Amino acid sequence: MTRTLQEQLIKNGLAIKPMKKRKKKSKSQNFKEKLSKREIEALMGINRDIYKRVKGSFRKK
């Protein structure tokens, strides 16, 4: 049997064994939050006050 160089180094204790790959969990599985329509609109900034510049000062419209 022919062994690779990496296998020989592992057998002699001279190399680090390769780590096992972990499965990644998607964020949607970890955290599920239901947002209402009003909360989504607030995050998007739909219901903000509107300001207008009048003679150098800002006024609420």
Side-chain angles (χ1 to χ4, degrees), residues 28-43:
S28 63
Q29 290 179 352
N30 293 341
F31 183 69
K32 293 182 180 180
E33 182 179 358
K34 300 280 184 171
L35 296 175
S36 67
K37 184 177 178 181
R38 180 177 284 177
E39 291 173 334
I40 293 172
E41 289 176 351
L43 288 172

Side-chain angles (χ1 to χ4, degrees), residues 5-60:
L5 179 62
Q6 186 68 28
E7 291 173 349
Q8 291 174 3
L9 290 173
I10 291 171
K11 183 181 178 190
N12 294 333
L14 300 174
I16 300 172
K17 293 182 182 179
M19 295 179 66
K20 294 181 181 178
K21 294 183 179 179
R22 291 187 268 163
K23 292 183 180 179
K24 294 182 180 180
K25 294 183 180 179
S26 65
K27 290 184 180 181
S28 63
Q29 290 179 352
N30 293 341
F31 183 69
K32 293 182 180 180
E33 182 179 358
K34 300 280 184 171
L35 296 175
S36 67
K37 184 177 178 181
R38 180 177 284 177
E39 291 173 334
I40 293 172
E41 289 176 351
L43 288 172
M44 293 190 320
I46 291 177
N47 297 326
R48 289 188 182 175
D49 293 332
I50 298 172
Y51 292 93
K52 186 177 180 183
R53 194 165 196 150
V54 178
K55 294 184 182 180
S57 62
F58 290 99
R59 303 270 170 108
K60 190 187 278 189

